[in-house]
Amino acid sequence: MIEATPLPGVFQITPPRHGDARGFFSESWNAKTLRNAGLELPAFVQDNHSMSVDAGTVRGLHYQSPPHAQGKLVRCGRGSIFDVAVDVRKGSPTYGKWFGTELSYENGRQLWVPVGFLHGFATLEPESEIIYKCTDHYAPECDGAVRWDSVGIDWPMGDLEPILSEKDRAAIPFAEFETPFNYED
Ligand SMILES: Cc1cn([C@H]2C[C@H](O)[C@@H](COP(=O)(O)OP(=O)(O)O[C@H]3O[C@H](C)C(=O)[C@H](O)[C@H]3O)O2)c(=O)[nH]c1=O
């Protein structure tokens, strides 16, 4: 159900699915179940849902700086994505290191991305949807972006042409990024 990753603090979570002749039921998030499994997540205050029409859509690498930094619990409701977290906590032993994993409707896997990490994803199928819980509200004045292709992430895009927003096309390279996050926070 809960798997550690090479980035301390980032976890993969796969809630059980109860199948029957109609399909399945799953508690996609249950604070008590996670607490009993040893994972205490901060409170969530906002749910987001985005749909990307084409495979190869890249959203990220994004963050919100303090005082509205966000932890995110990400899942894929339709299709599949390659979801990535990058450690950007000054002083962290894994600073600049990334972890990526496939989240899909099929595998039901989720990724917990704590405060202090960049988050981004690439869609692997058309009309892929992500649904994610955030630990702080949207604060455009705190919104930041780092170029998706400037961290050395091994995106599984194959020959897909990346589709980016204007904001993401104009994002700064990681080498110029000054993180607002500290490891001991
Ligand atoms: C994030 C956000 C956006 N918006 C509005 C602002 C724009 O008018 C529109 C699209 O925003 P944006 O292009 O920033 O959306 P994404 O590129 O999907 O950004 C998100 O994608 C990456 C992967 C993330 O982890 C963040 O949650 C977030 O940065 O939605 C809102 O109204 N509320 C929000 O919380």
Side-chain angles (χ1 to χ4, degrees):
M1 157 86 161
I2 299 176
E3 299 162 80
T5 70
L7 297 182
V10 176
F11 291 93
Q12 296 186 96
I13 300 165
T14 307
R17 286 181 171 177
H18 307 287
D20 63 26
R22 301 166 299 169
F24 75 80
F25 179 93
S26 171
E27 292 183 356
S28 48
W29 173 71
N30 182 316
K32 189 170 154 218
T33 306
L34 292 179
R35 186 177 310 120
N36 292 345
L39 183 58
E40 185 77 45
L41 296 186
F44 294 109
V45 296
Q46 179 174 316
D47 262 17
N48 293 337
H49 179 178
S50 74
M51 186 281 290
S52 302
V53 174
D54 297 310
T57 301
V58 176
R59 297 180 186 245
L61 301 162
H62 298 162
Y63 66 95
Q64 284 195 174
S65 49
H68 296 292
Q70 292 174 314
K72 295 163 193 163
L73 179 59
V74 188
R75 65 190 177 94
C76 180
R78 181 165 55 136
S80 57
I81 65 168
F82 184 71
D83 205 43
V84 176
V86 185
D87 186 355
V88 289
R89 298 167 298 174
K90 206 179 297 166
S92 166
T94 52
Y95 183 85
K97 296 276 183 257
W98 63 275
F99 172 76
T101 186
E102 183 171 328
L103 308 183
S104 70
Y105 165 75
E106 287 304 322
N107 70 20
R109 184 182 297 145
Q110 304 178 7
L111 189 65
W112 164 242
V113 181
V115 162
F117 289 76
L118 304 178
H119 176 239
F121 65 88
T123 60
L124 304 175
E125 292 177 47
E127 300 195 342
S128 290
E129 298 187 44
I130 83 164
I131 297 143
Y132 52 110
K133 308 180 88 64
C134 301
T135 60
D136 207 312
H137 293 104
Y138 179 50
E141 73 281 7
C142 296
D143 204 25
V146 170
R147 270 192 68 87
W148 69 291
D149 56 357
S150 67
V151 178
I153 295 165
D154 187 12
W155 296 97
M157 306 278 285
D159 52 8
L160 286 170
E161 258 316 291
I163 298 164
L164 298 158
S165 66
E166 270 313 306
K167 174 177 88 172
D168 289 347
R169 254 195 290 279
I172 59 162
F174 186 59
E176 293 171 23
F177 172 61
E178 288 183 30
T179 183
F181 303 107
N182 292 307
Y183 183 52
E184 58 277 0
D185 283 355

